[in-house]
Amino acid sequence: MIRRFLIPSTPWLLLFGLLNLFSSGRWTLAAAAWLAPLFALRFLATTPGRRRFLWFYLVTWLTLSISWYGATPIWGAAHFIFMAVNAVMAILPFAVDRWLAPRLSRDGRLSFSATFVLPLAATALEFLTIDANPLGNFGATGNSQAGFPIAVQLVSVTGLLGLTFLINWTASAVHWGWEQRFAWPRIRRGALALGAVLAAVFALGAGRLLAAPAPDAVETVPVATFTVQPVDMAALAPLAEQDPDAFRAETRAVHAAYLQETAAAAAGGARIVLWPELAGLGVEEDVQALLAEGRALAAQAGIYLAMPTLTVFPGQERPGENVLTIADPRGEIVLTHVKFGGAFIEGTLAGSGELQAVETPYGTLSGVICWDTDFPAIVRQAGRQGVDILLSPAKEWAAIDPMHASMAVFRGVENGLTVVRQSDGGRSMISDPYGRILAAAPWTGQSAMRAGVPVVGVATLYPVAGDFVGFVSVAGLLVVGIRALVAGRRKQAAAPQPVHPAG
């Protein structure tokens, strides 16, 4: 029995486990995400009995726990419990595939239609769970392709769910061919269908990138972003309660440093200036004073100044308010955005999730805060509003750097806009509507960027079509599921019944 399990199934499970370490999380490689589901299918198809799912689950749980350790806001033993739940979700599409796909066989051979079970199940699951997930789209399959620019362009049409479907269908179709021993007469139609789809997707991506104007060939606006001093919330939060005067002195000094750096950036020609998340940390009185000074500076320098603030209320049972405020060259407040993403976890006031947009001489401007970019349905509003430049101040921790910044790039490609992300504690970057990095600054304790940012975005289909791939996947899974169950019952009914001798 042990020998039967170890040969040939174990190598496929080990290969899956190795690849799964690099399919998501801290060390993501684009190719690993395409290959991991293939070897998962191979292990499940060549291992008899239900115990195979136990081994598959344990390897999935272990590898996810390792690759995501520290990259979620849950630490210690709770992290492994949390990843145990995530591992259940991860193997669910494979369980559905093993339940339904074998029923779609003809003459003892798996039908090509069976290759759609896994991608439909995986895509439907992401579609139904991501918007309801307080962590947003952390762990979404499509995020793995940040290093594959040609594939990334697909999200301008389908959003991330298109990549989820394509990656899983490719693995399922290749495994179907493997089951047919890659005999060309048997797999020809399926192979040609898969090849045609992949060719179309990669042609779209390559064509979009080739047709994209050079960054220096379009009208731009000078943008300056900087992190003058990192904010240590672990030290400052207790200080606000224990020694309010010391807290105010420290945060006021930071405010003054940001105003001084802003004046220097404006003198250097910047027309839009962005600070990182929490730059304006302080008590209500000091935050209001900072905003007033920022408005006066914006009017004096003739700039758009984006000021992220976190107002805290020591001694009060009142959540902090994490807000992005943009002042225009007249010194007027033209945009106020309250952070939506992660507010429940961070214990701050939750925003409505409704984005605002401002018409400026430099295109249409909007803003979100850090975690908000992990909710495609929220940021999709920017695409529908014709936003050209999306400002995203951020506060990171080491384990999600630079992964979190890379995730934000997808929002720009989906909605045809430039993302300007200034981070405290992580990589800062400016990405254009094609996902090209116009400027970047690694975290070294401080960071700053200066770049010309395109003032005109690009029209994409995703803001209009939305997550149609998700709706189609849910409907498709129901259709394929019903078909598979009906086919299974027909085979069972047509099977010869045992003949019992007369007693």
Side-chain angles (χ1 to χ4, degrees), residues 50-71:
R50 296 181 180 178
R51 189 171 293 183
R52 57 185 169 164
F53 283 103
L54 174 61
W55 291 109
F56 182 47
Y57 171 79
L58 290 175
V59 170
T60 302
W61 173 57
L62 177 62
T63 53
L64 287 178
S65 297
I66 294 172
S67 63
W68 282 94
Y69 193 79

Side-chain angles (χ1 to χ4, degrees), residues 184-485:
W184 182 247
R186 298 178 186 173
I187 69 169
R188 183 184 43 148
R189 290 184 179 179
L192 291 175
L194 175 64
V197 171
L198 290 175
V201 169
F202 296 151
L204 166 70
R208 196 167 187 267
L209 290 172
L210 287 171
D216 59 358
V218 297
E219 182 183 357
T220 62
V221 55
V223 173
T225 74
F226 43 81
T227 300
V228 175
Q229 181 175 329
V231 173
D232 184 358
M233 284 299 294
L236 287 173
L239 188 65
E241 298 288 345
Q242 299 164 8
D243 191 345
D245 290 339
F247 173 80
R248 293 187 67 181
E250 187 163 342
T251 53
R252 281 174 172 174
V254 174
H255 298 172
Y258 274 101
L259 292 169
Q260 181 179 359
E261 188 68 21
T262 299
R271 297 297 89 195
I272 299 175
V273 176
L274 172 66
W275 306 341
E277 184 181 9
L278 307 188
L281 170 67
V283 298
E284 187 171 20
E285 180 183 346
D286 293 343
V287 168
Q288 292 304 314
L290 171 64
L291 293 175
E293 291 185 67
R295 291 172 62 183
L297 179 55
Q300 178 184 352
I303 63 173
Y304 285 87
L305 176 57
M307 300 174 283
T309 59
L310 175 60
T311 306
V312 295
F313 305 93
Q316 301 182 42
E317 293 295 328
R318 183 175 174 183
E321 298 177 0
N322 197 340
V323 181
L324 173 63
T325 302
I326 299 180
D328 72 2
R330 299 169 301 170
E332 301 293 330
I333 293 177
V334 292
L335 184 149
T336 303
H337 173 80
V338 181
K339 187 176 182 180
F340 168 81
F344 172 77
I345 295 171
E346 295 175 346
T348 56
L349 178 70
S352 66
E354 296 181 8
L355 300 195
Q356 302 170 27
V358 181
E359 296 296 330
T360 80
Y362 315 117
T364 304
L365 193 66
S366 187
V368 295
I369 302 175
C370 192
W371 214 325
D372 293 336
T373 59
D374 303 331
F375 295 83
I378 297 296
V379 183
R380 193 162 65 228
Q381 297 172 68
R384 291 173 177 170
Q385 294 167 349
V387 169
D388 303 299
I389 302 173
L390 181 70
L391 304 179
S392 177
K395 171 67 174 175
E396 315 284 22
W397 62 90
I400 60 171
D401 178 36
M403 172 180 63
H404 205 201
S406 298
M407 290 167 58
V409 174
F410 287 93
R411 305 293 84 77
V413 180
E414 288 168 351
N415 298 288
L417 50 81
T418 296
V419 177
V420 181
R421 187 179 181 91
Q422 178 62 34
S423 176
D424 174 351
R427 182 179 190 239
S428 299
M429 61 86 200
I430 300 174
S431 64
D432 75 358
Y434 304 93
R436 298 177 299 188
I437 305 302
L438 304 180
W443 179 245
T444 59
Q446 291 182 330
S447 66
M449 295 186 296
R450 303 288 189 275
V453 171
V455 301
V456 178
V458 176
T460 60
L461 182 61
Y462 177 67
V464 178
D467 288 323
F468 72 94
V469 174
F471 288 104
V472 171
S473 295
V474 171
L477 183 61
L478 290 173
V479 170
V480 172
I482 292 171
R483 180 184 172 190
L485 294 175

Side-chain angles (χ1 to χ4, degrees), residues 75-160:
W75 288 270
H79 167 77
F80 293 94
I81 297 172
F82 177 63
M83 298 317 296
V85 176
N86 279 274
V88 172
M89 303 295 286
I91 73 168
L92 186 57
F94 293 92
V96 172
D97 176 83
R98 290 297 88 196
W99 177 41
L100 296 178
R103 290 171 167 80
L104 295 171
S105 58
R106 297 176 181 176
D107 301 325
R109 294 176 184 169
L110 198 63
S111 168
F112 185 68
S113 62
T115 64
F116 291 99
V117 176
L118 177 64
L120 289 172
T123 308
L125 182 64
E126 282 195 11
F127 171 63
L128 295 172
T129 58
I130 281 180
D131 285 340
N133 188 340
L135 296 180
N137 67 357
F138 268 97
T141 305
N143 286 330
S144 65
Q145 301 307 296
F148 191 3
I150 289 178
V152 168
Q153 305 310 308
L154 179 63
V155 306
S156 66
V157 178
T158 66
L160 274 185

